[in-house]
Amino acid sequence: DAGVIQSPRHEVTEMGQEVTLRCKPISGHNSLFWYRQTMMRGLELLIYFNNNVPIDDSGMPEDRFSAKMPNASFSTLKIQPSEPRDSAVYFCASSLALLAGAQETQYFGPGTRLLVL
Amino acid sequence: DAKTTQPPSMDCAEGRAANLPCNHSTISGNEYVYWYRQIHSQGPQYIIHGLKNNETNEMASLIITEDRKSSTLILPHATLRDTAVYYCIVAGKSTFGDGTTLTVKP
């Protein structure tokens, strides 16, 4: 298996623009997580899905952020409009969870490095 | 969900065992302890997990105290490539703290 795939790997955009980050989880996994990592705040969980349904989005910073999982093999994290403070590395992870909310081993993608000017 | 506490940094000599502690005094009875590491600029990588018993795999050993309030990750023969940030988290919700930055020195 290729592991968790994220695209793009790097993104540079200007303030106010829409940014869409993409994630393909490991085939067969039923949970997907979006994280944001910055020097100041470390690794933060933004949202996680189980069986394509958002279970916990309490980490989503504000309405400018939205995440979707239209099917088991694809998820997007969208920022609209983007701001300089959104600059961070965004990681996607997937796992095979037997129960919603249960912790199973997470497999992380390589991340998307976002810079908002 | 239980919170974990780890020392911010540790050094280890190459070839020696690295022992990384983690406190999780509010852990619940059915919550697992997971360890991940993050090598510079890469995504976190799973190392090992356990519930009550000590565990060992090809990467490391995990020692969990009988009261489950703390655990220790052991890298038996640390190499320079083991230099990374090590995270201890408790199952239930993926709250990664600041972790321990392990520096393996020649």
Side-chain angles (χ1 to χ4, degrees), chain A residues 5-108:
Chain A
I5 299 172
Q6 292 187 246
S7 65
R9 294 291 305 275
H10 302 271
E11 177 80 25
V12 180
T13 190
E14 293 187 343
M15 182 174 62
Q17 296 298 305
E18 178 179 294
V19 175
T20 300
L21 311 181
R22 297 173 176 81
C23 176
K24 177 179 169 55
I26 292 173
S27 177
H29 282 187
N30 62 352
S31 287
L32 183 139
F33 306 79
W34 281 102
Y35 290 86
R36 176 175 68 176
Q37 186 171 38
T38 61
M39 288 293 292
M40 291 293 293
R41 301 176 67 90
L43 192 61
E44 304 173 277
L45 176 66
L46 300 178
I47 186 172
Y48 85 90
F49 296 83
N50 181 258
N51 293 323
N52 312 336
V53 176
I55 302 300
D56 184 355
D57 64 354
S58 59
M60 294 287 264
E62 48 197 275
D63 292 344
R64 297 184 298 107
F65 285 70
S66 63
K68 293 182 179 180
M69 192 164 186
N71 57 63
S73 60
F74 184 66
S75 177
T76 59
L77 178 67
K78 186 174 294 185
I79 308 172
Q80 167 62 20
S82 59
E83 297 182 2
R85 60 191 168 122
D86 301 329
S87 298
V89 181
Y90 290 82
F91 289 104
C92 176
S94 71
S95 71
L96 178 60
L98 299 178
L99 297 171
Q103 178 86 56
E104 298 292 339
T105 300
Q106 294 182 54
Y107 297 86
F108 284 76

